[in-house]
Amino acid sequence: MNQMDVKAARQAAVAATVARVREIEARMGVTRAALEAIKAELMQLAAQEHLFPSTEFPPPPNGEKGSNRYLLREEEGGRFALYLNALNPGNSTKPHDHTTWAVVVAVDGQELNKVYERLDDGSDPERCELRVREEIMVEPGRGIALMPEDIHSIHTTGEKPTRHLHMYGLALEKLEGRRAYDDLTGQVSYYNKNFMKPTAGRDR
């Protein structure tokens, strides 16, 4: 299959998956059960590794930190945004929320997700107290589903880059009020949505 055929097959598979995800959300709402069903759909898509070759979706060069974020599809109004994130080992994020639902599955590589619970009552918008509730290794055959209020951090492990599919109820650059939480100092800060724009363009 040549590159053009792979691209056409990928776009068709992505479109069909997003259509099923839309139907799940319409039928079940934004619930943990719905997100588990969405995760199952995305895992079937991610299992088709040949549609997401590293030659087309490379991580930053020379082992650099940060990610290449490729937008695969986005529906009207920024809904049902699907990205491929390519990262090198050794990346990590602060604990953060999304303010929309999120599902992450793996095409290749490992990404440790730490999921946190708040021990404070949230009454102080600038302070928090967190502890790790669980750790989930996102890798081929295993993903994670997060409700809008869930807090997690990402840590790329292993010895090879990751290619993971990230799907959000609303596109990252449209999200308002996202927060990052420092689990050591307790400081709460706000994400700048501008830096969440796709760094590597749209899959056309």
Side-chain angles (χ1 to χ4, degrees):
M1 189 180 291
N2 63 38
Q3 186 173 359
M4 291 300 294
D5 290 339
V6 169
K7 185 173 183 179
R10 176 173 65 249
Q11 291 179 339
V14 165
T17 298
V18 173
R20 290 192 293 270
V21 168
R22 289 184 63 144
E23 189 278 329
I24 291 169
E25 193 203 69
R27 176 168 46 88
M28 300 179 66
V30 179
T31 63
R32 294 205 183 273
L35 296 188
E36 287 299 313
I38 290 171
K39 184 174 71 174
E41 292 288 350
L42 290 173
M43 286 178 66
Q44 289 186 37
L45 178 63
Q48 301 176 70
E49 185 179 354
H50 67 284
L51 297 180
F52 306 98
S54 58
T55 51
E56 289 191 54
F57 300 100
N62 305 316
E64 293 174 7
K65 295 293 180 66
S67 68
N68 281 348
R69 185 180 303 107
Y70 303 86
L71 180 62
L72 299 178
R73 189 175 180 89
E74 180 182 329
E75 301 288 273
E76 184 178 355
R79 294 297 324 278
F80 304 101
L82 178 63
Y83 307 84
L84 187 145
N85 275 12
L87 294 86
N88 291 305
N91 276 277
S92 63
T93 67
K94 286 184 177 181
H96 59 274
D97 60 21
H98 293 107
T99 70
T100 189
W101 61 260
V103 175
V104 182
V105 299
V107 176
D108 194 22
Q110 292 182 315
E111 176 184 279
L112 177 64
N113 278 248
K114 296 182 180 181
V115 183
Y116 300 80
E117 61 181 342
R118 290 191 69 160
L119 303 179
D120 63 295
D121 62 6
S123 59
D124 185 342
E126 297 182 354
R127 308 298 299 175
C128 69
E129 185 179 356
L130 302 179
R131 71 177 173 198
V132 176
R133 188 180 74 224
E134 63 178 325
E135 296 187 356
I136 298 172
M137 183 67 77
V138 176
E139 57 192 349
R142 191 178 190 197
I144 187 172
L146 299 160
M147 293 287 281
E149 67 277 9
D150 286 344
I151 300 169
H152 80 139
S153 62
I154 290 172
H155 312 267
T156 52
T157 59
E159 298 180 352
K160 61 181 181 179
T162 63
R163 278 172 289 139
H164 287 187
L165 300 180
H166 291 234
M167 190 168 196
Y168 302 91
L170 186 64
L172 288 170
E173 65 270 25
K174 293 184 177 295
L175 299 177
E176 302 283 355
R178 289 188 65 196
R179 291 170 294 182
Y181 304 84
D182 192 314
D183 56 328
L184 298 178
T185 68
Q187 182 179 8
V188 178
S189 57
Y190 283 90
Y191 264 35
N192 178 355
K193 66 179 182 178
N194 291 327
F195 84 85
M196 300 307 295
K197 293 180 179 179
T199 54
R202 181 187 289 266
D203 185 42
R204 294 190 182 276

